[in-house]
Short mmCIF file of all heavy atoms in Angstrom, two decimals:
data_model
loop_
_atom_site.label_atom_id
_atom_site.label_comp_id
_atom_site.label_asym_id
_atom_site.label_seq_id
_atom_site.Cartn_x
_atom_site.Cartn_y
_atom_site.Cartn_z
N GLU R 451 111.12 27.44 25.35
CA GLU R 451 112.43 26.94 24.92
C GLU R 451 113.42 28.09 24.77
O GLU R 451 114.56 28.02 25.21
CB GLU R 451 112.28 26.17 23.60
CG GLU R 451 111.68 24.79 23.82
CD GLU R 451 111.19 24.13 22.53
OE1 GLU R 451 111.60 24.58 21.43
OE2 GLU R 451 110.40 23.18 22.65
N TRP R 452 112.94 29.18 24.16
CA TRP R 452 113.78 30.38 24.02
C TRP R 452 114.22 30.88 25.40
O TRP R 452 115.41 31.17 25.63
CB TRP R 452 112.99 31.46 23.26
CG TRP R 452 113.65 32.81 23.29
CD1 TRP R 452 114.66 33.25 22.48
CD2 TRP R 452 113.37 33.88 24.21
NE1 TRP R 452 115.01 34.53 22.82
CE2 TRP R 452 114.24 34.94 23.88
CE3 TRP R 452 112.48 34.04 25.26
CZ2 TRP R 452 114.23 36.16 24.58
CZ3 TRP R 452 112.47 35.25 25.96
CH2 TRP R 452 113.33 36.30 25.61
N ARG R 454 114.44 29.32 28.27
CA ARG R 454 115.39 28.40 28.90
C ARG R 454 116.80 28.64 28.35
O ARG R 454 117.78 28.78 29.08
CB ARG R 454 114.92 26.95 28.61
CG ARG R 454 115.70 25.84 29.16
CD ARG R 454 115.33 25.54 30.62
NE ARG R 454 116.19 26.31 31.50
CZ ARG R 454 115.89 26.67 32.74
NH1 ARG R 454 114.76 26.36 33.28
NH2 ARG R 454 116.71 27.38 33.47
N GLU R 455 116.86 28.76 27.01
CA GLU R 455 118.16 28.96 26.36
C GLU R 455 118.78 30.28 26.80
O GLU R 455 119.97 30.36 27.09
CB GLU R 455 117.96 28.91 24.84
CG GLU R 455 119.25 28.82 24.07
CD GLU R 455 119.04 28.71 22.55
OE1 GLU R 455 117.95 28.26 22.12
OE2 GLU R 455 119.97 29.08 21.81
N VAL R 456 117.96 31.32 26.85
CA VAL R 456 118.46 32.64 27.24
C VAL R 456 118.97 32.63 28.67
O VAL R 456 120.08 33.12 28.96
CB VAL R 456 117.33 33.70 27.09
CG1 VAL R 456 117.68 34.99 27.83
CG2 VAL R 456 117.07 33.99 25.61
N VAL R 457 118.20 32.05 29.57
CA VAL R 457 118.59 32.04 30.99
C VAL R 457 119.89 31.25 31.17
O VAL R 457 120.81 31.70 31.87
CB VAL R 457 117.43 31.47 31.86
CG1 VAL R 457 117.92 31.17 33.28
CG2 VAL R 457 116.27 32.45 31.88
N ASP R 458 119.98 30.11 30.52
CA ASP R 458 121.19 29.29 30.64
C ASP R 458 122.41 30.00 30.04
O ASP R 458 123.47 30.05 30.66
CB ASP R 458 120.99 27.93 29.94
CG ASP R 458 120.01 27.04 30.70
OD1 ASP R 458 119.67 27.40 31.85
OD2 ASP R 458 119.56 26.03 30.13
N ALA R 459 122.21 30.56 28.85
CA ALA R 459 123.33 31.23 28.18
C ALA R 459 123.79 32.45 28.99
O ALA R 459 124.99 32.74 29.09
CB ALA R 459 122.92 31.66 26.76
N TYR R 460 122.81 33.14 29.59
CA TYR R 460 123.18 34.34 30.35
C TYR R 460 123.93 33.98 31.65
O TYR R 460 124.83 34.70 32.07
CB TYR R 460 121.93 35.18 30.67
CG TYR R 460 122.27 36.63 30.95
CD1 TYR R 460 122.60 37.49 29.91
CD2 TYR R 460 122.31 37.12 32.25
CE1 TYR R 460 122.94 38.80 30.15
CE2 TYR R 460 122.65 38.44 32.50
CZ TYR R 460 122.96 39.28 31.45
OH TYR R 460 123.29 40.58 31.69
N ARG R 462 125.92 31.50 31.97
CA ARG R 462 127.31 31.22 31.56
C ARG R 462 128.04 32.53 31.25
O ARG R 462 129.19 32.71 31.62
CB ARG R 462 127.33 30.31 30.32
CG ARG R 462 126.96 28.87 30.60
CD ARG R 462 127.30 27.95 29.42
NE ARG R 462 126.62 28.30 28.18
CZ ARG R 462 125.39 27.90 27.85
NH1 ARG R 462 124.71 27.10 28.67
NH2 ARG R 462 124.84 28.28 26.72
N ILE R 471 125.05 39.35 25.34
CA ILE R 471 125.45 38.23 24.49
C ILE R 471 124.46 38.09 23.33
O ILE R 471 123.48 38.83 23.26
CB ILE R 471 125.48 36.89 25.29
CG1 ILE R 471 124.12 36.68 25.98
CG2 ILE R 471 126.61 36.87 26.27
CD1 ILE R 471 123.93 35.31 26.60
N THR R 472 124.72 37.14 22.45
CA THR R 472 123.80 36.85 21.35
C THR R 472 123.18 35.47 21.55
O THR R 472 123.89 34.51 21.79
CB THR R 472 124.55 36.87 20.00
OG1 THR R 472 125.22 38.13 19.88
CG2 THR R 472 123.59 36.71 18.84
N VAL R 473 121.85 35.40 21.48
CA VAL R 473 121.14 34.10 21.52
C VAL R 473 120.18 34.06 20.35
O VAL R 473 119.39 35.00 20.17
CB VAL R 473 120.38 33.91 22.85
CG1 VAL R 473 119.57 32.61 22.83
CG2 VAL R 473 121.32 33.93 24.04
N GLN R 474 120.22 32.99 19.58
CA GLN R 474 119.37 32.85 18.38
C GLN R 474 119.45 34.10 17.50
O GLN R 474 118.45 34.62 17.03
CB GLN R 474 117.92 32.56 18.78
CG GLN R 474 117.75 31.24 19.51
CD GLN R 474 116.28 30.89 19.78
OE1 GLN R 474 115.37 31.58 19.35
NE2 GLN R 474 116.07 29.80 20.50
N GLY R 475 120.65 34.64 17.38
CA GLY R 475 120.89 35.77 16.49
C GLY R 475 120.43 37.12 17.03
O GLY R 475 120.48 38.13 16.31
N GLN R 476 120.01 37.16 18.30
CA GLN R 476 119.53 38.44 18.85
C GLN R 476 120.26 38.81 20.13
O GLN R 476 120.65 37.93 20.90
CB GLN R 476 118.03 38.36 19.13
CG GLN R 476 117.23 38.03 17.88
CD GLN R 476 115.89 38.74 17.86
OE1 GLN R 476 115.41 39.18 18.89
NE2 GLN R 476 115.31 38.85 16.69
N MET R 477 120.38 40.10 20.36
CA MET R 477 121.06 40.60 21.53
C MET R 477 120.27 40.28 22.80
O MET R 477 119.05 40.47 22.85
CB MET R 477 121.25 42.11 21.40
CG MET R 477 122.15 42.74 22.43
SD MET R 477 121.32 43.14 23.98
CE MET R 477 120.25 44.46 23.49
N VAL R 478 120.96 39.80 23.79
CA VAL R 478 120.35 39.53 25.09
C VAL R 478 121.12 40.29 26.16
O VAL R 478 122.33 40.13 26.28
CB VAL R 478 120.38 38.01 25.41
CG1 VAL R 478 120.00 37.76 26.87
CG2 VAL R 478 119.44 37.24 24.48
N VAL R 482 116.11 41.60 28.78
CA VAL R 482 115.71 40.43 27.99
C VAL R 482 115.71 39.19 28.89
O VAL R 482 114.76 38.37 28.86
CB VAL R 482 116.63 40.24 26.77
CG1 VAL R 482 116.16 39.07 25.92
CG2 VAL R 482 116.70 41.51 25.92
#
Side-chain angles (χ1 to χ4, degrees):
E451 284 166 17
W452 169 83
R454 181 83 269 155
E455 192 177 336
V456 165
V457 168
D458 290 349
Y460 202 76
R462 287 193 300 275
I471 54 170
T472 305
V473 176
Q474 296 186 5
Q476 301 216 341
M477 190 276 291
V478 168
V482 183

